[in-house]
């Protein structure tokens, strides 16, 4: 009678449990080598007596420890059984740490995610089935670490009641995916219910995704102010299709794209920069794009105030009001010759009150709707 096969599910569990190292705590040899894995599966109570292929009766050892246990009787079954508990405690000790900042957390998570991504793209997507099987153990072991680390640091992930606006929701989906990856997937069948959420790579700064621009200019200004204080802010590029911040991160200069929503949202959360939406970022970016497309270079009067710019000695202040009133103009108190542009375009020309126009004349400032602004910029170009 041949042996019954060990089920895929059980194999995955013991691979994952091993974290890629021999389960004998005094050995802990790495089992996934570049030459392929040297994994051996041992029965704690001999298969010949028990025919027990359950997870509890199986353990992963390196070839030496396997021989020591099976043939040299160097360890009692009870001792070997305890190795499973020892590994669990070790995993907790090494990876259950609570970090103080998202940045510290990211330093642990990013290399593990990157390794998984490289393996997946090189072997799985290229359909190198045999090699993929060799490396799958590495993914399982990395996943186990990632899961332990993330589960203990969920409080560092941005959270919102509405799951659409929540990075914590993305992380939860990812944790379910990790469990499913480990427990299911029969051979030859690649279907999974919970796919790897691409937003995870965005969240940990591995690969940006294209999403929508987060609405609030005020949040962005607050983030710039705080990054500037700690010397991490370098520049901002607005008025382009994919606007971005240039920042310093781990001593490297990187681009933080403003449509890379999970990542930017996490930054807003890390620096407590979420602010109520006043001026909408997509509208401001649109107005600045018009300048760029007509060949005008603009500069912000202050980095942390994105609503005031200068082009060729003309000062422009952007506001966002349903209807700009006289009172609001008074409190804005723009300097002489400023162009005040209302980016709010929902009610066309009535987005500026008649009284506000009258006051503007006395203050010697120009009030423009977005349509007026476009015409004005075009006329500058024709001069
Ligand atoms: Zn060993």
């Amino acid at each position: 009678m041949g042996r019954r096969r060990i089920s895929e599910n059980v194999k995955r569990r013991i691979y994952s449990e091993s974290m890629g190292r021999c389960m004998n705590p005094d050995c802990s040899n790495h089992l996934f080598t570049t030459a392929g894995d040297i994994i051996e599966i041992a029965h704690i109570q001999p298969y010949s007596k028990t025919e027990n292929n359950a997870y509890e009766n199986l353990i992963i050892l390196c070839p030496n420890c396997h021989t020591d246990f099976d043939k040299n009787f160097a360890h009692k079954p009870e001792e070997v059984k305890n190795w499973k508990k020892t590994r669990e405690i070790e995993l907790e000790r090494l990876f259950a740490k609570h970090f103080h900042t998202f940045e510290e957390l990211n330093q642990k998570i990013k290399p593990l995610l990157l390794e998984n991504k490289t393996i997946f793209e090189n072997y799985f997507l290229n359909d190198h089935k045999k090699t993929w099987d060799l490396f799958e153990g590495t993914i399982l072991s990395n996943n186990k670490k990632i899961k332990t680390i993330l589960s203990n640091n969920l409080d560092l992930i941005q959270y919102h009641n509405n799951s659409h606006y929540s990075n914590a929701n993305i992380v939860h989906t990812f944790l379910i995916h990790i469990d499913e990856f480990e427990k299911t997937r029969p051979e030859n069948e690649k279907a999974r219910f919970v796919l790897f959420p691409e937003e995870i790579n965005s969240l940990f700064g591995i690969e940006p995704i294209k999403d929508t621009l987060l609405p609030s200019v005020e949040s962005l200004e607050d983030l710039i102010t705080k990054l500037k204080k700690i010397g991490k802010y370098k520049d901002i590029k607005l008025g382009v299709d994919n606007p971005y911040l240039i920042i310093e991160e781990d001593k490297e200069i990187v681009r933080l794209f403003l449509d890379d929503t999970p990542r930017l949202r996490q930054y807003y959360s890390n620096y407590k920069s979420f602010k109520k939406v006043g001026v909408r970022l997509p509208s401001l970016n649109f107005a600045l794009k018009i300048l760029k497309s007509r060949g005008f270079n603009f500069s912000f009067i202050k980095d942390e105030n994105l609503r005031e710019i200068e082009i060729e000695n003309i000062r422009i202040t952007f506001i966002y009001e349903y209807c700009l009133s006289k009172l609001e103009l008074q409190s804005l108190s723009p300097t002489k010759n400023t162009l005040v542009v209302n980016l709010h375009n929902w009610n066309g020309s009535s987005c500026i009150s008649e009284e506000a126009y009258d006051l503007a004349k006395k203050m010697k400032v120009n009030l423009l709707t977005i349509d007026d602004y476009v015409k004005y910029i075009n006329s500058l170009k024709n001069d």
Side-chain angles (χ1 to χ4, degrees):
M1 279 272 289
R3 280 186 169 203
R4 276 188 302 121
R5 283 178 59 249
I6 299 166
S7 80
E8 279 304 304
N9 302 357
V10 170
K11 264 193 209 165
R12 284 169 164 256
R13 271 186 85 186
I14 55 174
Y15 277 14
S16 155
E17 174 189 59
S18 80
M19 312 270 292
R21 290 180 302 144
C22 174
M23 290 285 286
N24 177 359
D26 294 328
C27 167
S28 293
N29 261 337
H30 279 278
L31 302 176
F32 305 120
T33 65
T34 41
D37 69 67
I38 49 164
I39 279 176
E40 295 198 1
I41 299 175
H43 285 83
I44 299 174
Q45 300 291 346
Y47 182 83
S48 55
K49 286 186 195 157
T50 60
E51 296 201 358
N52 183 355
N53 272 346
Y55 160 78
E56 291 74 18
N57 194 42
L58 294 169
I59 193 159
I60 279 179
L61 299 172
C62 73
N64 287 341
C65 290
H66 195 184
T67 309
D68 264 2
F69 174 51
D70 264 9
K71 309 246 158 55
N72 305 332
F73 306 103
H75 311 283
K76 290 203 170 71
E78 268 319 299
E79 184 191 350
V80 173
K81 199 164 186 121
N82 267 328
W83 291 351
K84 286 167 89 82
K85 279 182 204 140
T86 308
R87 182 57 50 88
E88 189 65 37
I89 294 165
E90 193 191 24
L91 171 78
E92 281 291 307
R93 188 171 50 80
L94 285 175
F95 299 102
K97 198 173 170 226
H98 183 262
F99 297 103
H100 296 290
T101 64
F102 180 84
E103 221 165 294
E104 284 172 11
L105 169 68
N106 197 12
Q107 277 170 11
K108 296 287 168 202
I109 295 285
K110 197 172 173 177
L112 297 168
L113 279 176
L114 262 175
E115 188 178 27
N116 281 3
K117 183 172 184 279
T118 309
I119 293 172
F120 183 76
E121 284 172 357
N122 284 316
Y123 301 111
F124 189 83
L125 293 185
N126 285 326
D127 210 17
H128 294 153
K129 177 76 180 112
K130 281 232 170 74
T131 336
W132 162 250
D133 283 347
L134 291 178
F135 282 108
E136 202 178 30
T138 307
I139 293 192
L140 285 165
S141 138
N142 283 346
N143 276 351
K144 185 112 183 168
K145 293 174 196 166
I146 292 170
K147 193 185 164 187
T148 310
I149 298 169
L150 280 179
S151 305
N152 284 289
N153 289 281
L154 282 174
D155 60 315
L156 295 176
I157 310 287
Q158 178 269 345
Y159 169 81
H160 193 281
N161 287 333
N162 184 328
S163 61
H164 287 294
Y165 308 135
S166 178
N167 285 346
N169 188 58
I170 297 167
V171 169
H172 281 299
T173 306
F174 180 49
L175 293 179
I176 294 170
H177 164 79
I178 287 180
D179 282 344
E180 202 188 49
F181 187 88
E182 183 183 312
K183 285 181 188 147
T184 65
R185 205 200 75 166
E187 279 172 302
N188 303 324
E189 205 219 306
K190 309 294 186 210
R192 286 207 185 93
F193 291 105
V194 184
L195 293 174
F196 175 81
E198 296 294 331
E199 294 93 341
I200 282 292
N201 283 335
S202 150
L203 188 51
F204 292 99
I206 291 169
E207 199 169 50
I209 57 163
K210 278 200 176 302
D211 206 328
T212 46
L213 291 181
L214 291 179
S216 169
V217 170
E218 290 78 2
S219 300
L220 186 56
E221 289 174 341
D222 188 79
L223 178 66
I224 292 173
T225 308
K226 285 168 180 165
L227 289 172
K228 230 179 148 177
K229 252 187 213 155
I230 52 171
K232 290 190 172 188
Y233 172 81
K234 299 296 164 204
D235 203 0
I236 186 165
K237 292 276 177 272
L238 277 180
V240 292
D241 281 334
N242 306 311
Y244 56 90
L245 283 172
I246 302 174
I247 58 170
E248 197 183 308
E249 199 183 64
D250 298 330
K251 288 168 191 137
E252 261 178 70
I253 300 296
V254 292
R255 285 198 269 186
L256 172 54
F257 288 96
L258 302 182
D259 60 354
D260 188 7
T261 306
R263 187 148 182 250
L264 183 64
R265 196 157 60 193
Q266 189 62 45
Y267 264 92
Y268 284 171
S269 173
N270 297 347
Y271 289 92
K272 299 189 170 50
S273 292
F274 277 112
K275 295 282 172 273
K276 200 167 156 273
V277 182
V279 175
R280 290 187 60 84
L281 184 59
S283 307
L284 178 64
N285 195 53
F286 170 76
L288 297 175
K289 257 165 87 173
I290 288 172
L291 290 175
K292 284 254 163 101
S293 69
R294 311 295 194 271
F296 291 109
N297 279 321
F298 62 85
S299 57
F300 296 106
I301 291 167
K302 273 162 81 184
D303 291 327
E304 58 273 48
N305 178 359
L306 304 173
R307 290 163 286 177
E308 288 190 317
I309 61 162
E310 224 168 47
I311 53 162
E312 303 179 349
N313 298 322
I314 305 166
R315 204 180 168 112
I316 306 179
T317 299
F318 294 102
I319 56 156
Y320 195 89
E321 298 288 343
Y322 182 74
C323 177
L324 176 66
S325 69
K326 183 180 160 183
L327 261 174
E328 278 157 347
L329 181 60
Q330 249 161 5
S331 66
L332 192 67
S333 60
T335 52
K336 236 183 182 179
N337 299 324
T338 301
L339 295 181
V340 177
V341 181
N342 192 358
L343 295 170
H344 202 307
N345 203 27
W346 283 10
N347 56 349
S349 56
S350 51
C351 74
I352 298 170
S353 78
E354 286 307 322
E355 286 170 316
Y357 277 121
D358 289 343
L359 177 65
K361 250 182 224 158
K362 288 177 200 149
M363 292 172 106
K364 296 205 161 47
V365 298
N366 262 318
L367 301 187
L368 304 178
T369 64
I370 194 79
D371 291 340
D372 299 335
Y373 163 78
V374 174
K375 280 180 211 149
Y376 176 80
I377 299 301
N378 286 340
S379 75
L380 278 185
K381 205 194 165 202
N382 296 335
D383 284 351

